[in-house]
Amino acid sequence: PVSNVDFSRWSRTPRKEKYSLVAVVNHYGSLNSGHYTSYCHDGQNWFYCDDESVRLANPQELERNVHAYLLFYSSEPQPALRLPKLSP
């Protein structure tokens, strides 16, 4: 799930807060070596980051992502993340 996630059933101190996915770290490779990439959300758009390249990402990519290694959630509402502007 990407937004409005309720983690209260897994918490010892349930809260009414909802959470939104804000970043995903991906791992490609094996236990001995590999490569990491990430998706991050700036409050409006998803971006795919791979070493020195950053591009706009389609949210549907997250649904098909089989390389997710770490998921980062933030409580709602989340402040807008200020990412550097991309040059064409």
Side-chain angles (χ1 to χ4, degrees), residues 68-83:
Y69 181 66
L70 296 171
L71 305 175
F72 293 87
Y73 285 86
S74 177
S75 60
E76 296 177 344
Q78 54 185 321
L81 177 65
R82 296 180 191 263
L83 295 174

Side-chain angles (χ1 to χ4, degrees), residues 24-38:
V24 177
V25 175
N26 306 301
H27 179 260
Y28 301 87
S30 68
L31 293 173
N32 297 324
S33 66
H35 181 69
Y36 292 92
T37 64
S38 65

Side-chain angles (χ1 to χ4, degrees), residues 12 31 50:
R12 289 185 180 185
L31 293 173
D50 184 359

Side-chain angles (χ1 to χ4, degrees), residues 8-87:
S8 63
R9 70 184 247 198
W10 294 285
S11 175
R12 289 185 180 185
T13 55
R15 298 181 182 189
K16 295 181 181 181
E17 292 176 317
K18 303 293 183 180
Y19 294 83
S20 289
L21 186 65
V22 294
V24 177
V25 175
N26 306 301
H27 179 260
Y28 301 87
S30 68
L31 293 173
N32 297 324
S33 66
H35 181 69
Y36 292 92
T37 64
S38 65
Y39 287 98
C40 53
H41 194 256
D42 71 351
Q44 294 179 336
N45 297 300
W46 281 97
F47 294 89
Y48 180 75
C49 308
D50 184 359
D51 291 337
E52 294 181 3
S53 68
V54 177
R55 66 167 173 79
L56 278 171
N58 185 324
Q60 292 175 346
E61 292 177 42
L62 295 165
E63 296 172 13
R64 298 186 305 265
N65 185 8
V66 297
H67 299 283
Y69 181 66
L70 296 171
L71 305 175
F72 293 87
Y73 285 86
S74 177
S75 60
E76 296 177 344
Q78 54 185 321
L81 177 65
R82 296 180 191 263
L83 295 174
K85 292 192 176 191
L86 301 175
S87 57

